Each structure stands twice: as structure tokens, then as C-alpha cells.
């Protein structure tokens, strides 16, 4: 199965936001994303934003001893390894096929970007907005955190 989407590194360095694309094969490799983000030299916050197949997104923020994670749709773990890996790292069992109804639900830390202006309640509202594609949801998050223009420029390259 070919996975469509993108993985981006987002960095706040010396008061300026920078967004860059990560290798496409990282769309299927959570550990690879975490490793790539840890290699980014920055004095400010570093995190990753991943959009997969117009289905869901993942936000990855390296922290000492691991990563803070947010998966926009836990049901994606039934079909995508990276979503299953997120749940595994969160120590949450993947849903069973018969447990899933039509409503997706997020798993992870809805407050992982709270220090950057994206509070838990706002993140929940964006995650719950099922009419939006993952790149649109991530764009809203980028705007709220203050790097909307940089993120929009990155999306033009995808």
C-alpha cells in the first residue's frame, strides 16, 4: 500500500519559525520521525506534523525519555502502522474492528503545544472537525501557534 501525505519538522529558532519536509519514508516510521526530530539542532521547540492519506494526522514532540504524541484518529491504527505505533508508544491497545463506529477519536496529549498557544480545548475542537482534511487541521494549528505562513509555504512544496 502506498501512503500519501507528508511529514514536516517545525522549529522555533531565535524567535523565527522554520518548517521543513522530512523524508517521505518516515510516513510509516514513528521511531524514524522521533530520531529525525532529535537531530534538529535548535534552542527552541522542535516538533513534527504528519498528515497521512487525507485520513489522520500525528503530532510528535520529542521530550526527555521519549516523545509527546497526538494521534487525531485512533481508528487509523487498524489500517496504518504509524498510527498503531503511536498507540503502542502511548501504551493504548489498538481498537478492535468491531469496536469502531463511525466516530473517530483522538489519543495522546491534546495539550502538547499548549506552551505555543494551542490549548487543549482548541486542539480538541480542531481534531473533532471531521469536515477538514488533516493538512487543513494542521494548517489551523500552525496559524494558532504563529507559523501559518511558513506552514502554507511548505504545503505548496508537497
Amino acid at each position: 500500500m502506498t501512503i500519501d501525505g507528508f511529514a514536516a519538522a517545525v522549529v522555533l529558532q531565535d524567535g523565527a519559525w522554520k518548517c521543513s519536509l522530512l523524508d517521505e519514508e518516515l510516513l510509516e516510521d514513528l521511531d524514524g520521525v522521533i530520531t529525525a526530530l532529535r537531530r534538529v539542532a535548535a534552542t527552541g521547540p522542535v516538533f513534527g506534523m504528519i498528515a497521512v492519506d487525507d485520513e489522520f494526522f500525528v503530532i510528535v514532540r520529542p521530550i526527555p525519555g521519549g516523545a509527546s504524541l497526538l494521534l487525531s484518529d485512533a481508528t487509523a491504527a487498524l489500517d496504518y502502522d504509524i498510527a498503531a505505533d503511536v498507540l503502542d508508544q502511548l501504551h493504548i491497545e489498538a481498537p478492535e474492528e468491531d469496536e469502531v463506529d463511525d466516530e473517530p477519536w483522538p489519543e495522546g496529549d491534546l495539550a502538547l503545544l499548549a506552551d505555543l498557544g494551542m490549548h487543549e480545548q482548541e486542539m480538541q475542537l480542531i481534531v473533532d472537525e471531521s469536515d477538514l482534511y488533516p493538512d487543513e487541521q494542521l494548517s489551523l494549528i500552525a496559524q494558532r501557534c504563529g507559523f501559518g505562513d511558513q506552514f502554507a509555504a511548505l504545503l505548496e512544496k508537497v
Side-chain angles (χ1 to χ4, degrees):
M1 168 167 94
T2 303
I3 294 181
D4 208 16
F6 64 88
V10 182
V11 181
L12 180 58
Q13 180 72 28
D14 300 324
W17 288 101
K18 295 182 179 87
C19 299
S20 58
L21 287 173
L22 296 172
D23 289 333
E24 216 169 277
E25 66 263 9
L26 294 179
L27 286 173
E28 301 179 65
D29 182 7
L30 180 61
D31 289 335
V33 170
I34 294 168
T35 300
L37 293 172
R38 287 193 188 288
R39 289 185 180 145
V40 175
T43 55
V46 176
F47 57 94
M49 300 175 104
I50 305 162
V52 181
D53 273 352
D54 289 338
E55 295 292 326
F56 65 97
F57 69 82
V58 178
I59 299 177
V60 180
R61 189 166 183 183
I63 57 173
S68 187
L69 301 164
L70 175 61
L71 172 62
S72 67
D73 178 6
T75 66
L78 295 169
D79 299 313
Y80 296 93
D81 289 343
I82 193 163
D85 291 345
V86 169
L87 293 183
D88 191 45
Q89 287 227 2
L90 293 170
H91 306 292
I92 296 171
E93 285 195 38
E96 297 292 327
E97 194 78 47
D98 58 349
E99 295 175 338
V100 176
D101 58 14
D102 290 339
E103 287 299 313
W105 69 90
E107 289 289 358
D109 184 3
L110 288 164
L112 83 168
L113 300 178
D115 61 320
L116 303 173
M118 187 75 230
H119 299 287
E120 184 173 351
Q121 297 83 357
E122 292 174 284
M123 184 72 82
Q124 183 71 57
L125 289 172
I126 291 172
V127 168
D128 288 345
E129 189 54 66
S130 59
D131 291 344
L132 298 178
Y133 287 110
D135 62 325
E136 295 170 321
Q137 291 171 308
L138 291 174
S139 291
L140 288 173
I141 293 166
Q143 288 170 9
R144 185 68 179 99
C145 291
F147 60 94
D149 292 344
Q150 295 87 339
F151 192 73
L154 176 117
L155 289 180
E156 289 177 12
K157 299 176 190 174
V158 176

